[in-house]
Amino acid sequence: MAGRWARWMVLALGVALLPGAAPKTDWTRHVTVTATGAYVLGNPAAKVKLVEYASYTCPHCAHYANDSKAPIRRDFIADGSTSVELRHAVRDRLDFIATLLARCGGPARFFATSDAIFAAQESWMDKAIAFERANAERLSKMPRDDAVREEARATGLFAIAEAEGVPAKKLDACLADAEQQKLIGAMADRAWNEEHIPGTPSFTINGTQVPNAASWAMLEPALRAAKK
């Protein structure tokens, strides 16, 4: 009896190790980087390529991020049919700080950190308004990198990124990273001055702009149509 059981286990293991039984790729965790530095979530060879132009200080972007987070991963990204590329369309100083922090953990942590920043937008935006009103003159006289670090902490943005697993020392370095600053600036310049996006959030599907799609409810039908 024991010998028969052992032979069955060997056969079962053999079947499990066949090439066809290899585990499927979890596209909801698969992130690649474009030549311009944008992060792409999902299958790089997806039939449907969604590009989102976003700003962390844009309330509509936060609403879209919060509403779309679960369904877009479950119904579009998970099956490999759809990829999502996020391009930064920075609008202001605070947006720039949030973008530097969101990108600091690299590809593996970017989308989780980005979601966390959007989810807490109302809180850190309120803190930012109060902080800038109280410290505007002092900040204007400080070296830029020092002012950026102080505001990142005072608003709670630094703590959000740290809670997503990015060490404080690395976050400090990212806020002063000239290469990332240049990359983000160039991406924003392309979005506003070359691609002429109408605002944030804006979307393209396979290179074609989706009109009147400032929310998940408005974008989802276009994604479903493209997926067919």
Side-chain angles (χ1 to χ4, degrees), residues 195-219:
E195 294 160 357
H196 302 291
I197 63 170
T200 55
S202 289
F203 303 93
T204 65
I205 294 177
N206 294 337
T208 300
Q209 187 159 359
V210 185
N212 304 316
S215 69
W216 172 242
M218 298 165 79
L219 178 68

Side-chain angles (χ1 to χ4, degrees), residues 115-127:
D115 286 341
I117 289 172
F118 276 130
Q121 187 193 72
E122 186 175 352
S123 173
W124 58 260
M125 285 279 286
D126 286 346
K127 291 177 184 176

Side-chain angles (χ1 to χ4, degrees), residues 10-11 16 23 27 35 42 45 56 66 82-83 99 105 111 113 121 138 140 143 152 177 192 198 200 215-216 218-219:
V10 169
L11 287 170
W27 294 118
Y56 291 112
N66 296 334
T82 306
S83 65
T99 304
F111 283 95
T113 307
Q121 187 193 72
R138 185 173 63 84
S140 68
D177 187 333
W192 294 112
T200 55
S215 69
W216 172 242
M218 298 165 79
L219 178 68

Side-chain angles (χ1 to χ4, degrees), residues 122-217:
E122 186 175 352
S123 173
W124 58 260
M125 285 279 286
D126 286 346
K127 291 177 184 176
I129 291 168
F131 177 76
E132 289 181 349
R133 282 177 180 167
N135 298 277
E137 185 176 352
R138 185 173 63 84
L139 289 170
S140 68
K141 297 175 182 177
M142 293 173 64
R144 185 180 70 168
D145 287 345
D146 292 345
V148 164
R149 278 194 292 268
E150 187 168 333
E151 187 160 10
R153 282 179 164 81
T155 57
L157 282 166
F158 194 96
I160 292 170
E162 194 173 13
E164 291 301 320
V166 188
K169 189 175 291 187
K170 185 173 183 181
L171 289 168
D172 276 327
C174 286
L175 289 170
D177 187 333
E179 185 175 332
Q180 278 294 304
Q181 291 173 0
K182 183 177 179 181
L183 183 152
I184 293 165
M187 196 181 297
D189 184 63
R190 279 192 299 274
W192 294 112
N193 301 317
E194 294 180 26
E195 294 160 357
H196 302 291
I197 63 170
T200 55
S202 289
F203 303 93
T204 65
I205 294 177
N206 294 337
T208 300
Q209 187 159 359
V210 185
N212 304 316
S215 69
W216 172 242

Side-chain angles (χ1 to χ4, degrees), residues 8-21:
W8 182 87
M9 285 297 293
V10 169
L11 287 170
L13 287 170
V15 170
L17 294 173
L18 287 173

